[in-house]
Amino acid sequence: MIENRMFEEEPDVVDLAKESTTFPTSQALDPDDVVYEPRSSRLLVRGLGENDMDEDDEDCESSARLLGMSFMNRSAAHRSLSSPYTRQGAPRSCARPSARTLVVCMLFLVIVASMTMVLYFLPGCTFTRSGCPKTNTTIPFEKVYPVSTSGEVFPWAQLRLPRSIRPLSYDLTLNPDLDSMTFTGRTIIHMSVLHNTKCIVLHSAYLNITKATFKLGDGQARGVTVLEYKPREQIAVAFTEVLKTGQDCVLTLEYSANLSHTYDGFYNSSYTEKDGSKRVLAATQFEPLSARKAFPCFDAPDFKATFLIRIRRKPNHLSLSNMPKAKTTQLPNDVIEDEFEKTSVNMSTYLVAFIVANFTHISRNVSETQVSVYSVPEKWEHTDYALDTGCKLLEFYNGFFEINYPLKKLDLVAIPDFLAGAMENWGLITFRETSLLVGKQSSNLEKQVVASVIAHELAHQWFGNLVTMRWWNDLWLNEGFATYMQYMSLQTVFPQLDIGNLFLAVRFRALDKDALNSSHAVSTEVNKPEQVEEMFDSVSYEKGASILLMLNASLPGDQQFRKGIIQYLKEFSGLNTDTNDLWNSLTQVEVSAQHPNVSEMMSSWTSQKGFPLVTVSRKGGQVTLTQEHFRLTSDNATQTSSLWIIPVTYVTDNCSVAPECRRTFYLKTKSETLKELPESVKWVKVNYRNTGFYITHYEDGGWAALIDALSHNVSVLTHEDRASLVHNMFALSRLGRVSFHQVLHLLKYMSNETHTSPVTEALLQLGVIYRLLDKRQEHRLVARMKSYILHQFGSLMDKQTWEEEDSVSKQELRSALLGMACSLNEEKCISQSRALFKQYVESNGTSRIPGDLQQVVFTVAAQSNEDWATLLTMYGQATYDAEKRKMLRGLASTQDARLIVWVLKAGLRGDVIQTQELPLVISTVCNGFTGYLFVWDFIQENWDSLIEKFPVGSFAIQTIIKSATSHFSTQAHLDQVQGFFYSLRERGSQMRSVQEALETIRLNQRWMEKNLATLEKWL
Ligand SMILES: [Zn+2]
């Protein structure tokens, strides 16, 4: 999956602050203190950790056993805070137990036996096999256990499913009714018993099960009762007899449900055609936890199985699924049933997909695969670019991975209502329309967005689909890899799209987020549904991709990394893995004698949160490198001695630009000395081309020497190195290692800078400070900041043209420069924008605004109420979605309070503005002065509606929280934000993004306190 805002916009940098002394934190909201609880768990006794059970204890033979388990689990919870969910251990095996284990087991059995006896003789409860269902106030333990909807004891007490049963194949029939927005379904699951058990537990959510039959081996099918425990979205069938290891069985479930009105599960979507007619369709989005909303299943990534899918539809629709269509049957009442081939591969449930719609398509063959692009009929002319790009990338990946894409078809489908950017369902990749459709006259910058999303999703067909993470704690194995491959493949296949600047910016943003105490390790514990949702964040995607780049850059030659991942894909094809499996595969590639063990080196990057600050100090020819954890928030609780094995690369003034200049030193301890540097060297630049995931500080005149060199000739360093100096300097100012005066001193060199990445990085960082000052109503400083930016970048702004431009890099540069100029009300920029808009409106569609300038032009237009109304009309009529989104951002950038409120409400209603765009609307409104407080009120008032549309923890909710709070820098706002989220309790208070928001406000607050005086002096 790729989240929509991850690739198309510069995320706001929010963490303007420096290291602070400890400050009081809310007891309830302190990251380490938050108690995670299920959304609506009926477990009434605290301490029965859903996550506290050992794998070895999974069974469901009787309530007595359950009682024993709960007893033990409570003890286990006291013993250790670690959860077994971070790793899925091997299924129960017959390893010889140690003497200590035997003693512990004996003790445990005695306790279980005693408790069972006590319970048995308790009055009022006949201890039956189905538990002790009757209400009986004399039994203190009764409430401990999950009670199913029917009132019976539910035979499983963990969030993750037991591993005694393995699904082999699913036979699904789905019958959606797009008039009543309901569907019925039948799921036949063939399973194998891995361990003796008396129950089958699987997932189901919001499905009304109407009939259930069960067949064991060659026996007769018989009716069975299905128990449901809604808080964990689980159902179970309990048996009186034991299902024995090695037996096969079949469970058939018939059910009915409503099509979902959100963006996950089997959901309905509609769109209006040009002639005003409304069309409806149904599509799926299952990752991470929503396959269970469409069919009962073992909904976890490591329960892979094959799928045979049948979809019923009306003749005016078509249906699509993962596999090619095998046959079509006419049924009574004008219903058609399409049957798709059984999947030729074992697949995780989150990758299953089906669509019923009246789409049109274009197709082309690439080796053995038919690639097609589907869209609503009136947008079919926007599909050519996606087809061409998809085919080229498929060919590239087939060659690169040396494993051919395994299916006979690959469909890329643009869905009118789609929350994420795209989803990699095997053989049926679904996209937001803006991530797939490209207008005939689109700029290369717009093509870059579409190509990178396609590249990301195609990479998933190998990383994720073929080899899948075992559990969501290692989501980065899917997302970090797909993100890395997306940039790597585009650099090779479409060099004209110049993806390098974007990848560099993405790495800077990943550092900014990971510098917060509220960040998490790449591979981290995940226990709750909300935590699964929250794994879809910049650490899994962007830090994941960054550390893969760092590893690749540290290996000798350009093929070692590729060899390692081919080996990994071949070894684990069709299976599930964890992070260690990847590092072990990569450890087998050839490395130089100095290169540390790959597994050892990379584990230091995936197992701990944050990244190192490398300080370079120099005494003559002796250069010392020291590492420490780069932490914006000093927190005694996390004062650990984190160490990383860092492949430190560096260049010097003797040789600094060509790849051969690069030297590598492995910093494995706290501090080490570089010996081979001659004393005549004037300066050292560490982290060549910013391929390492760390920040560098230069002591003893190191910064001054670099700034001096740049002021004479910017070309002494690559543009990535220059951009990384800018980024690192701002980050160090937040940390308090350098003064803001030093930041301004570095930026002086920029009067000679013409390359995109250093300029866009500086503008982004200055823009954040500008907006914070603006919102604190520091009018004098705002005016001085404005004149500083216009003075510093004025000549470069003046040089920008307003005509069509081919180079992506130049488009990025001018859209950033002109965007900043117009937002500062620079006269020339405003008048040029207005003129272009006028020309555009008056030409009736014949004249065009260059794609990369549309955002600037629409934003300026939206500041006049008359043009805002024109823009709204244009928005309603536009069919090309990339352009439409820019109009929407224009509309949301108005500074008219009434219009802001209208835009927010329209986004929530979802009629004029699609609800999927609400996160974008909110973040745009928050950038402006007028709207950010409205948004904060809006979110508080509408929180329940928001989490009904976007799941708690989802990327959309993360974006909304971050946008709404990152502009705050006062104690009053901190108290408000803290108070509001605390009051939400299970409706959101436990989210990591809430911790991030609070930390960011505190950091903003402290940065302001510390730097306002400096700004007064130096700006
Ligand atoms: Zn993805």
Side-chain angles (χ1 to χ4, degrees):
M1 187 152 63
I2 189 165
E3 302 293 355
N4 204 47
R5 284 172 57 82
M6 279 184 177
F7 51 85
E8 63 172 9
E9 287 156 53
E10 292 282 277
D12 291 323
V13 182
V14 293
D15 41 320
L16 269 179
K18 46 158 229 45
E19 184 166 41
S20 57
T21 51
T22 51
F23 44 80
T25 55
S26 152
Q27 287 271 313
L29 285 173
D30 199 85
D32 295 322
D33 291 344
V34 171
V35 177
Y36 288 89
E37 289 198 331
R39 273 181 276 200
S40 52
S41 173
R42 293 192 204 163
L43 291 176
L44 299 178
V45 175
R46 288 175 71 91
L48 172 60
E50 295 180 87
N51 51 343
D52 301 343
M53 287 187 187
D54 292 328
E55 299 265 345
D56 285 355
D57 305 314
E58 63 179 48
D59 207 323
C60 38
E61 286 176 358
S62 71
S63 293
R65 182 72 188 268
L66 266 173
L67 284 169
M69 282 161 66
S70 77
F71 175 81
M72 191 202 71
N73 291 329
R74 269 175 281 172
S75 323
H78 291 300
R79 278 198 310 273
S80 163
L81 291 172
S82 71
S83 161
Y85 286 167
T86 49
R87 292 282 183 275
Q88 187 80 53
R92 289 189 299 173
S93 64
C94 304
R96 180 187 284 256
S98 67
R100 188 165 156 261
T101 312
L102 278 172
V103 172
V104 173
C105 284
M106 286 298 289
L107 259 171
F108 170 65
L109 283 173
V110 169
I111 292 167
V112 171
S114 329
M115 289 194 65
T116 310
M117 286 178 71
V118 167
L119 276 173
Y120 188 83
F121 291 111
L122 274 175
C125 172
T126 311
F127 206 74
T128 63
R129 281 200 167 93
S130 58
C132 186
K134 287 179 197 162
T135 309
N136 188 326
T137 50
T138 60
I139 302 171
F141 303 104
E142 186 179 29
K143 289 176 179 173
V144 173
Y145 302 103
V147 178
S148 59
T149 314
S150 61
E152 291 180 66
V153 169
F154 191 81
W156 186 246
Q158 295 186 54
L159 186 82
R160 289 180 71 176
L161 300 179
R163 309 199 62 78
S164 42
I165 299 280
R166 187 168 84 89
L168 302 172
S169 67
Y170 291 83
D171 183 324
L172 305 180
T173 305
L174 288 134
N175 185 10
D177 180 340
L178 299 189
D179 297 323
S180 66
M181 291 298 167
T182 57
F183 68 101
T184 56
R186 188 188 63 198
T187 299
I188 306 170
I189 315 174
H190 288 257
M191 296 162 289
S192 173
V193 181
L194 297 184
H195 306 291
N196 288 359
T197 183
K198 280 189 167 181
C199 67
I200 297 174
V201 185
L202 62 161
H203 290 110
S204 166
Y206 308 106
L207 304 177
N208 172 32
I209 294 178
T210 49
K211 190 177 171 193
T213 57
F214 178 75
K215 188 165 97 68
L216 184 63
D218 298 329
Q220 285 290 313
R222 57 186 160 101
V224 285
T225 305
V226 175
L227 302 171
E228 180 169 20
Y229 183 54
K230 286 185 176 170
R232 280 197 219 113
E233 303 182 338
Q234 291 173 351
I235 54 171
V237 180
F239 301 95
T240 49
E241 79 270 27
V242 176
L243 310 182
K244 294 207 176 79
T245 306
Q247 281 186 309
D248 284 345
C249 53
V250 182
L251 182 65
T252 302
L253 298 164
E254 291 178 23
Y255 56 95
S256 62
N258 292 323
L259 286 171
S260 163
H261 58 278
T262 59
Y263 298 97
D264 62 344
F266 193 14
Y267 70 95
N268 74 72
S269 162
S270 64
Y271 66 96
T272 309
E273 290 194 327
K274 269 194 180 139
D275 63 6
S277 54
K278 194 180 171 193
R279 298 281 182 177
V280 287
L281 61 111
T284 57
Q285 166 61 41
F286 291 162
E287 192 181 25
L289 307 174
S290 295
R292 64 192 68 171
K293 294 179 183 169
F295 60 98
C297 57
F298 296 80
D299 196 11
D302 60 342
F303 284 89
K304 289 189 175 186
T306 59
F307 292 83
L308 188 152
I309 296 172
R310 289 182 209 89
I311 308 282
R312 293 183 185 170
R313 62 177 169 89
K314 293 284 187 200
N316 60 339
H317 281 131
L318 58 80
S319 74
L320 296 168
S321 185
N322 305 81
M323 296 295 287
K325 201 178 290 173
K327 66 176 180 191
T328 293
T329 314
Q330 180 73 50
L331 302 177
N333 300 324
D334 218 13
V335 172
I336 291 167
E337 182 178 276
D338 293 325
E339 182 178 312
F340 298 89
E341 289 175 21
K342 184 175 175 175
T343 56
S344 51
V345 283
N346 272 327
M347 195 164 87
S348 303
T349 43
Y350 78 88
L351 293 169
V352 174
F354 31 86
I355 295 167
V356 177
N358 68 331
F359 290 164
T360 51
H361 74 284
I362 56 170
S363 301
R364 193 186 304 164
N365 282 349
V366 174
S367 29
E368 303 293 296
T369 305
Q370 186 184 49
V371 182
S372 307
V373 180
Y374 286 82
S375 72
V376 301
E378 64 189 31
K379 292 178 182 171
W380 72 270
E381 75 261 38
H382 297 155
T383 52
D384 290 345
Y385 181 76
L387 183 65
D388 198 41
T389 306
C391 289
K392 283 185 181 141
L393 286 165
L394 183 64
E395 255 176 326
F396 169 79
Y397 284 135
N398 277 340
F400 185 86
F401 295 129
E402 294 180 7
I403 301 171
N404 274 353
Y405 170 76
L407 307 185
K408 285 186 280 186
K409 68 105 176 167
L410 174 64
D411 298 333
L412 313 178
V413 187
I415 312 264
D417 284 300
F418 197 81
L419 186 59
M423 174 63 211
E424 69 266 22
N425 316 300
W426 218 341
L428 182 64
I429 307 178
T430 44
F431 294 78
R432 226 180 226 230
E433 290 184 330
T434 39
S435 317
L436 190 68
L437 306 180
V438 172
K440 289 267 184 281
Q441 294 176 306
S442 298
S443 68
N444 274 340
L445 201 53
E446 288 164 308
K447 289 178 179 162
Q448 189 198 58
V449 169
V450 169
S452 63
V453 179
I454 295 175
H456 180 101
E457 302 307 332
L458 282 192
H460 271 312
Q461 307 300 306
W462 287 263
F463 279 98
N465 300 11
L466 197 62
V467 180
T468 315
M469 76 263 143
R470 193 161 286 139
W471 178 241
W472 301 105
N473 66 313
D474 277 327
L475 179 67
W476 88 277
L477 283 175
N478 276 15
E479 298 303 350
F481 244 107
T483 306
Y484 177 68
M485 289 307 301
Q486 136 194 9
Y487 295 114
M488 201 281 279
S489 64
L490 287 198
Q491 259 161 357
T492 314
V493 184
F494 300 105
Q496 72 278 17
L497 293 182
D498 217 342
I499 198 75
N501 291 331
L502 183 61
F503 190 23
L504 183 64
V506 155
R507 304 202 298 275
F508 291 148
R509 301 294 75 79
L511 285 164
D512 293 340
K513 166 139 179 171
D514 206 25
L516 297 175
N517 198 36
S518 46
S519 184
H520 60 91
V522 168
S523 180
T524 199
E525 191 175 309
V526 173
N527 297 318
K528 303 280 189 263
E530 297 87 345
Q531 294 173 316
V532 173
E533 294 280 354
E534 285 191 307
M535 287 303 280
F536 293 81
D537 70 355
S538 80
V539 172
S540 295
Y541 285 74
E542 290 153 2
K543 183 179 179 182
S546 305
I547 61 171
L548 290 170
L549 171 73
M550 178 167 66
L551 171 63
N552 192 359
S554 81
L555 293 171
D558 59 353
Q559 292 301 310
Q560 290 305 88
F561 180 76
R562 182 177 159 225
K563 278 185 197 163
I565 58 176
I566 290 171
Q567 187 169 319
Y568 167 78
L569 288 172
K570 289 193 169 160
E571 185 179 349
F572 296 104
S573 176
L575 303 174
N576 294 83
T577 56
D578 59 30
T579 299
N580 288 334
D581 294 322
L582 174 69
W583 298 148
N584 290 339
S585 292
L586 282 159
T587 301
Q588 292 162 39
V589 302
E590 278 173 48
V591 293
S592 60
Q594 301 82 42
H595 199 288
N597 174 290
V598 171
S599 181
E600 205 183 319
M601 175 172 114
M602 295 313 291
S603 297
S604 73
W605 294 91
T606 46
S607 64
Q608 45 192 357
K609 74 175 173 186
F611 56 86
L613 166 65
V614 174
T615 301
V616 184
S617 55
R618 195 170 164 198
K619 299 274 182 290
Q622 184 175 310
V623 173
T624 306
L625 302 174
T626 310
Q627 64 162 304
E628 67 190 285
H629 188 165
F630 186 102
R631 264 199 316 256
L632 289 174
T633 302
S634 162
D635 175 358
N636 289 334
T638 54
Q639 289 286 2
T640 52
S641 51
S642 305
L643 275 185
W644 286 262
I645 299 180
I646 314 168
V648 177
T649 52
Y650 63 94
V651 292
T652 68
D653 59 316
N654 288 335
C655 178
S656 57
V657 177
E660 310 80 76
C661 301
R662 186 187 76 155
R663 296 284 172 269
T664 306
F665 178 85
Y666 293 97
L667 181 58
K668 298 175 191 167
T669 61
K670 175 95 184 140
S671 185
E672 289 178 59
T673 303
L674 283 180
K675 294 197 177 71
E676 68 268 39
L677 220 56
E679 207 158 324
S680 60
V681 161
K682 290 193 192 110
W683 49 260
V684 185
K685 163 71 180 63
V686 167
N687 202 359
Y688 175 66
R689 301 186 77 181
N690 202 71
T691 53
F693 195 72
Y694 54 90
I695 283 177
T696 315
H697 177 42
Y698 304 88
E699 286 182 338
D700 308 316
W703 273 113
L706 281 163
I707 293 169
D708 185 52
L710 283 176
S711 65
H712 288 98
N713 177 13
V714 296
S715 309
V716 293
L717 291 173
T718 66
H719 70 90
E720 293 99 331
D721 281 314
R722 286 162 4 229
S724 92
L725 288 179
V726 172
H727 172 269
N728 286 191
M729 183 65 106
F730 273 97
L732 289 164
S733 135
R734 273 177 238 139
L735 189 65
R737 288 298 163 93
V738 300
S739 68
F740 198 71
H741 180 220
Q742 277 176 278
V743 177
L744 298 174
H745 187 51
L746 170 67
L747 294 187
K748 275 185 195 156
Y749 103 88
M750 294 218 114
S751 47
N752 296 320
E753 182 60 83
T754 54
H755 198 280
T756 305
S757 50
V759 174
T760 51
E761 185 57 27
L763 288 177
L764 182 136
Q765 300 279 2
L766 291 169
V768 172
I769 299 173
Y770 179 85
R771 284 196 292 271
L772 273 178
L773 291 171
D774 190 28
K775 278 156 193 164
R776 282 180 72 111
Q777 303 192 48
E778 299 282 350
H779 300 304
R780 227 150 36 97
L781 281 176
V782 168
R784 281 157 73 174
M785 189 75 166
K786 176 180 163 182
S787 56
Y788 170 80
I789 295 171
L790 290 178
H791 171 76
Q792 195 71 31
F793 298 92
S795 64
L796 206 50
M797 286 168 176
D798 274 347
K799 283 183 196 148
Q800 303 310 307
T801 63
W802 292 76
E803 282 91 51
E804 291 288 351
E805 165 65 65
D806 276 346
S807 152
V808 170
S809 187
K810 285 184 179 159
Q811 289 177 9
E812 289 168 333
L813 179 66
R814 79 171 176 185
S815 57
L817 281 164
L818 297 175
M820 177 60 92
C822 282
S823 76
L824 298 178
N825 273 321
E826 197 268 329
E827 221 169 285
K828 193 174 146 204
C829 184
I830 298 284
S831 64
Q832 280 278 14
S833 287
R834 284 190 184 142
L836 262 183
F837 186 72
K838 189 159 181 274
Q839 196 185 340
Y840 179 67
V841 174
E842 287 172 356
S843 77
N844 223 350
T846 53
S847 98
R848 223 183 93 76
I849 304 166
D852 59 306
L853 295 179
Q854 285 170 354
Q855 190 58 68
V856 177
V857 172
F858 294 149
T859 302
V860 171
Q863 305 315 311
S864 118
N865 282 6
E866 191 188 330
D867 286 346
W868 190 91
T870 310
L871 197 58
L872 181 63
T873 311
M874 285 160 53
Y875 176 76
Q877 292 163 351
T879 50
Y880 177 44
D881 295 277
E883 194 172 45
K884 203 169 168 166
R885 279 199 112 205
K886 289 174 199 158
M887 291 173 183
L888 178 60
R889 289 179 69 185
L891 292 169
S893 70
T894 174
Q895 294 303 298
D896 182 312
R898 284 167 306 125
L899 296 178
I900 288 173
V901 173
W902 183 88
V903 169
L904 289 169
K905 285 187 173 169
L908 190 65
R909 275 198 316 271
D911 45 11
V912 182
I913 298 169
Q914 287 174 293
T915 300
Q916 66 184 15
E917 302 291 17
L918 191 56
L920 176 73
V921 167
I922 285 177
S923 74
T924 310
V925 170
C926 284
N927 276 338
F929 178 76
T930 316
Y932 82 113
L933 292 176
F934 282 119
V935 167
W936 176 233
D937 287 345
F938 174 82
I939 286 172
Q940 293 178 84
E941 280 162 22
N942 298 291
W943 184 257
D944 287 337
S945 309
L946 291 172
I947 58 171
E948 193 185 312
K949 292 172 196 302
F950 313 116
V952 171
S954 63
F955 194 76
I957 285 288
Q958 291 174 39
T959 304
I960 289 171
I961 294 176
K962 181 174 165 173
S963 306
T965 57
S966 65
H967 299 273
F968 292 149
S969 63
T970 63
Q971 185 63 40
H973 280 137
L974 177 65
D975 292 343
Q976 274 184 33
V977 172
Q978 192 160 288
F980 170 68
F981 283 109
Y982 177 58
S983 74
L984 294 177
R985 299 190 177 273
E986 78 278 5
R987 283 148 53 235
S989 69
Q990 73 277 39
M991 281 185 287
R992 188 181 285 122
S993 40
V994 172
Q995 310 310 322
E996 194 183 310
L998 296 175
E999 188 178 357
T1000 301
I1001 300 171
R1002 289 183 189 115
L1003 291 168
N1004 287 346
Q1005 195 183 353
R1006 271 152 190 78
W1007 192 90
M1008 281 295 164
E1009 281 163 13
K1010 183 80 181 177
N1011 286 286
L1012 280 179
T1014 318
L1015 288 168
E1016 289 276 1
K1017 189 171 171 194
W1018 294 108
L1019 259 185

